[in-house]
Amino acid sequence: MAKATLLSAEEYLRTSLSPDCDYVDGELEERNVGEFQHARIQQRLAAYFGARERDWGIVGAPELRVQVSPDRFRVADYCVLAQSAPREQVIATPPLLAIEILSPEDRVSRTEERIEDFLAMGVPYVWLIDPTSRRAWVYTPGQRTEAREGMLHANPPIEMPWTELFDEA
């Protein structure tokens, strides 16, 4: 992953990057995206949560910039927000749930740093989905649990049978 000090936070927020990058302490960090499995999991998340938005009082969105601290912006693979949350173009109010999807090139240390940033911001749940191993984990402050019962959980009651993500993926 290339890192370069290129922009101030204000410049980052005015810039369209394709694909979008994280902004961490003055540096742009590329993200691993664009592979079929990653995109397919994102699409399935969007379909699953989109069908439940009204019933669950949520709003889901892929590829959102989230300001996790004054000098850090992470682009979440998928976020679930409360319907009552403010409509921010760049999310500054902690989402109910942030979801990260691993790509084969992702490093554990970098992924865990991303997850810690979301948790430190106040996101109560982060799901990590690995399409290659067909495994998933739920992170909460101070805890990581593998989703072995076939369900990913968050509170308010947001559940997903994660094995469905991998059918034909």
Side-chain angles (χ1 to χ4, degrees):
M1 281 297 123
K3 278 188 173 185
T5 303
L6 297 174
L7 306 170
S8 69
E10 295 77 24
E11 290 171 314
Y12 167 75
L13 291 172
R14 289 192 310 264
T15 302
S16 290
L17 303 164
S18 185
D20 207 354
C21 295
D22 289 343
Y23 179 84
V24 179
D25 302 328
E27 297 181 332
L28 291 177
E29 288 186 1
E30 293 177 358
R31 300 168 44 250
N32 291 318
V33 295
E35 295 178 350
F36 180 80
Q37 281 186 321
H38 190 279
R40 187 72 175 140
I41 297 293
Q42 261 184 317
Q43 185 276 328
R44 286 178 176 241
L45 289 167
Y48 184 84
F49 287 116
R52 291 158 178 80
E53 284 185 342
R54 187 164 296 176
D55 292 341
W56 288 0
I58 60 169
V59 175
E63 304 292 326
L64 278 177
R65 286 182 175 179
V66 179
Q67 184 172 11
V68 295
S69 71
D71 295 319
R72 287 183 176 225
F73 296 81
R74 297 294 189 175
V75 180
D77 286 326
Y78 199 85
C79 276
V80 177
L81 309 157
Q83 274 183 348
S84 60
R87 290 295 172 260
E88 302 162 311
Q89 292 304 307
V90 174
I91 304 302
T93 304
L96 299 172
L97 169 64
I99 302 173
E100 290 296 309
I101 305 163
L102 288 177
S103 293
E105 296 82 21
D106 285 329
R107 292 188 328 261
V108 171
S109 61
R110 187 155 176 255
T111 301
E112 288 187 352
E113 181 181 353
R114 293 175 59 75
I115 291 168
E116 288 302 318
D117 279 351
F118 286 120
L119 293 172
M121 174 207 194
V123 178
Y125 295 88
V126 180
W127 293 353
L128 177 63
I129 298 168
D130 183 353
T132 302
S133 70
R134 296 178 175 242
R135 296 169 69 191
W137 295 266
V138 176
Y139 288 77
T140 56
Q143 186 173 3
R144 177 183 80 169
T145 307
E146 186 168 355
R148 293 197 180 269
E149 295 96 38
M151 296 294 281
L152 288 161
H153 299 276
N155 192 12
I158 296 172
E159 296 182 335
M160 176 169 212
W162 63 270
T163 52
E164 288 183 19
L165 290 172
F166 306 121
D167 293 344
E168 302 174 26

